[in-house]
């Protein structure tokens, strides 16, 4: 019961910045805008927002690094101390824009450390700590030592499951070793990122895999691994597949066009699947938390009823998201391994 109570408190704290400001607006007679609150917290930002109390925002500013399109100078500051001519445009999700002499606005070269970037660095540090600690354990043992237990044993079990039961059969016996490091890295990056994103307080809570730029990068990496190292049989099946001549050459090369289109639809499917599933999970959790404050704005009776319903659904959704965090990492890795395996004729024939 103590663990459940702690989880409920953490879930409420996760959305305190949005809900506190929303309740303040409700007290002034304004309507609670749940879609806006949800979208604001799913978006990236130039600061790490922690909480809002009595209209005051408690946040950690992150470094803003922009290059002026007007002068070519680089500026390093925070979002609250932008140089003259720069401003955060609410119409473009708070992104930094620069006002030119003719009155127009342009998007400068922006290399800022946003909340998503900071979260990725945290995940990378966590991964380094995990694998270096496991490597240190194996370094002091030999093949005659007992099997690892505890944390190291759990990591080994997970690695061997993904390596032996997923990567090896999907890619093929002759090529799986060269792709295993990449696929294992992708799996653990997505898994740890998803789990850290469920932590309601800093250093968690960022919507990294719900950011389409991140999923696009991962999908492009898989696309390059497929097409840069695919053998000649893979390209032959694209441009000259074993179908009747009228389907691949005359009068229209139907099959080559379809197969070439598939080169881009495969990574596109990877990108959208991961992005949509993770963003939807965060949005549902945020929405149920906002329902708590919506109920209190309607009266004590509605507040008690909706609070009980929202807390139950929050607990359910967070447990479900823990499962989804693993499933999405597994599915992305599995599909990447299958697509890579299809680029090698040996696996296709077997």
């Amino acid at each position: 019961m103590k663990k459940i109570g702690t989880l409920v408190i953490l879930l409420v704290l996760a959305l305190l910045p949005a809900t506190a400001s929303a309740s303040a607006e409700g007290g002034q007679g304004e309507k609670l805008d749940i879609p806006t609150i949800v979208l604001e917290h799913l978006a990236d930002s130039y600061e790490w927002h922690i909480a809002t109390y009595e209209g005051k925002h408690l946040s950690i500013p992150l470094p803003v690094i922009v290059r002026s399109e007007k002068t070519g100078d680089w500026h390093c500051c925070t979002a609250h101390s932008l140089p003259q001519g720069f401003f955060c445009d609410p119409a473009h999700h708070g992104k930094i824009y620069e006002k030119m002499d003719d009155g127009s606005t342009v998007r400068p070269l922006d290399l800022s450390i946003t909340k998503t970037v900071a979260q990725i660095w945290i995940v990378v540090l966590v991964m380094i700590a995990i694998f270096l600690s496991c490597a240190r354990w194996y370094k002091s043992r030999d093949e005659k030592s007992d099997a690892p237990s505890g944390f190291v044993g759990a990591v080994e079990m997970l690695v061997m499951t993904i390596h032996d039961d997923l990567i090896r059969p999907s890619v093929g016996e002759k090529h799986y070793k060269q792709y295993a490091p990449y696929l294992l890295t992708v799996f653990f990056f997505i898994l740890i990122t998803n789990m850290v994103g469920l932590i309601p307080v800093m250093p968690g809570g960022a919507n990294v895999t719900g950011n389409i730029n991140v999923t696009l990068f991962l999908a492009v990496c898989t696309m390059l691994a497929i097409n840069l190292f695919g053998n000649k049989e893979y390209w032959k099946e694209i441009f000259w597949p074993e179908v009747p001549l009228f389907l691949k050459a005359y009068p229209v090369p139907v099959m080559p066009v379809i197969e070439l289109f598939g080169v881009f639809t495969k990574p596109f499917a990877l990108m959208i699947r991961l992005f949509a599933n993770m963003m939807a999970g965060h949005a549902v959790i945020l929405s149920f938390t906002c329902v708590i404050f919506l109920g209190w704005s309607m009266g004590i009776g509605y507040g008690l009823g909706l609070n009980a319903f929202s807390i139950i659904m929050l607990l359910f959704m967070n447990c479900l998201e823990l499962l989804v965090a693993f499933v999405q990492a597994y599915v992305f890795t599995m599909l990447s391994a299958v697509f890579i395996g299809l680029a090698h004729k040996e696996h296709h024939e077997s």
Side-chain angles (χ1 to χ4, degrees), residues 1-229:
M1 293 301 294
K2 289 183 178 179
K3 292 182 178 179
I4 295 177
T6 303
L7 180 59
V8 173
I9 294 173
L10 291 177
L11 290 173
V12 175
L13 287 175
L15 296 156
L16 188 57
T19 51
S21 58
S23 60
E25 293 176 357
Q28 297 172 1
E30 298 182 11
K31 185 178 179 181
L32 181 65
D33 191 355
I34 294 180
T36 301
I37 294 172
V38 172
L39 291 176
E40 284 179 355
H41 283 78
L42 291 177
D44 201 2
S45 64
Y46 294 101
E47 60 182 13
W48 206 306
H49 202 222
I50 298 175
T52 300
Y53 180 71
E54 295 183 351
K56 296 181 180 180
H57 300 287
L58 176 61
S59 59
I60 298 176
L62 298 172
V64 172
I65 306 171
V66 292
R67 180 181 181 273
S68 173
E69 294 294 327
K70 186 189 303 184
T71 63
D73 296 332
W74 286 92
H75 301 278
C76 184
C77 54
T78 65
H80 299 289
S81 59
L82 292 173
Q84 186 176 3
F86 292 89
F87 64 98
C88 293
D89 190 357
H92 294 87
H93 307 290
K95 297 297 182 182
I96 294 177
Y97 276 75
E98 182 180 8
K99 189 173 183 180
M100 308 303 287
D101 293 333
D102 59 358
S104 62
T105 58
V106 296
R107 182 85 165 95
L109 179 59
D110 191 350
L111 302 180
S112 304
I113 309 300
T114 62
K115 184 178 179 180
T116 298
V117 175
Q119 183 77 91
I120 292 174
W121 284 6
I122 292 172
V123 171
V124 170
L125 292 176
V126 171
M127 291 176 65
I128 292 174
I130 290 174
F131 294 118
L132 286 183
S133 63
C134 293
R136 189 179 301 110
W137 187 93
Y138 285 103
K139 189 176 181 180
S140 61
R141 268 79 173 178
D142 55 25
E143 64 275 6
K144 297 181 180 180
S145 302
D146 295 335
S149 59
F151 178 75
V152 178
V155 173
E156 179 183 306
M157 178 193 67
L158 196 55
V159 170
M160 297 307 295
T161 299
I162 301 301
H163 183 272
D164 295 344
D165 298 339
L166 191 154
I167 298 174
R168 189 170 182 173
S170 298
V171 177
E173 288 291 335
K174 292 186 178 181
H175 303 281
Y176 78 92
K177 290 183 179 180
Q178 68 188 81
Y179 294 104
Y182 164 69
L183 293 171
L184 284 170
T185 302
V186 168
F187 172 79
F188 279 100
F189 174 78
I190 297 176
L191 177 63
I192 296 175
T193 300
N194 291 345
M195 296 183 70
V196 172
L198 292 175
I199 300 175
V201 293
M202 187 180 178
N207 186 34
V208 176
T209 47
N211 188 318
I212 199 167
N213 297 304
V214 177
T215 59
L216 171 63
F217 175 77
L218 294 174
V220 168
C221 289
T222 297
M223 181 175 137
L224 294 176
I226 295 170
N227 296 286
L228 290 182
F229 305 105

Side-chain angles (χ1 to χ4, degrees), residues 32 34 289-299 302-303 306:
L32 181 65
I34 294 180
T289 306
C290 289
V291 168
I292 296 175
F293 293 86
L294 179 63
W296 284 117
S297 65
M298 299 169 63
Y302 286 103
L306 288 177

Side-chain angles (χ1 to χ4, degrees), residues 150-346:
F151 178 75
V152 178
V155 173
E156 179 183 306
M157 178 193 67
L158 196 55
V159 170
M160 297 307 295
T161 299
I162 301 301
H163 183 272
D164 295 344
D165 298 339
L166 191 154
I167 298 174
R168 189 170 182 173
S170 298
V171 177
E173 288 291 335
K174 292 186 178 181
H175 303 281
Y176 78 92
K177 290 183 179 180
Q178 68 188 81
Y179 294 104
Y182 164 69
L183 293 171
L184 284 170
T185 302
V186 168
F187 172 79
F188 279 100
F189 174 78
I190 297 176
L191 177 63
I192 296 175
T193 300
N194 291 345
M195 296 183 70
V196 172
L198 292 175
I199 300 175
V201 293
M202 187 180 178
N207 186 34
V208 176
T209 47
N211 188 318
I212 199 167
N213 297 304
V214 177
T215 59
L216 171 63
F217 175 77
L218 294 174
V220 168
C221 289
T222 297
M223 181 175 137
L224 294 176
I226 295 170
N227 296 286
L228 290 182
F229 305 105
N231 59 19
K232 62 180 181 180
E233 294 297 330
Y234 166 71
W235 292 107
K236 179 183 177 181
E237 289 183 357
I238 292 177
F239 293 106
W240 199 255
E242 295 181 1
V243 295
L245 185 62
F246 72 92
L247 289 176
K248 62 183 177 182
Y250 181 83
V252 179
V254 177
M255 289 303 297
V257 171
I258 294 175
E259 292 292 338
L260 186 61
F261 187 67
V263 171
F264 301 97
T265 56
K266 290 174 183 176
F268 180 79
L270 288 175
M271 174 187 71
I272 295 299
R273 179 181 286 106
L274 180 59
F275 160 73
N277 280 281
M278 300 313 301
M279 185 187 69
H282 283 270
V284 171
I285 293 174
L286 287 163
S287 299
F288 276 120
T289 306
C290 289
V291 168
I292 296 175
F293 293 86
L294 179 63
W296 284 117
S297 65
M298 299 169 63
I300 296 178
Y302 286 103
L304 292 174
L306 288 177
N307 274 7
F309 171 76
S310 297
I311 290 173
I312 293 173
M313 292 305 300
L314 281 171
L315 291 172
F316 171 76
M317 284 303 303
N318 273 270
C319 292
L320 182 62
E321 281 298 296
L322 285 174
L323 176 62
V324 171
F326 174 81
V327 170
Q328 290 305 314
Y330 188 91
V331 169
F332 190 98
T333 307
M334 179 186 66
L335 292 177
S336 297
V338 170
F339 294 154
I340 291 172
L342 292 174
H344 298 278
K345 189 65 176 179
E346 295 80 6

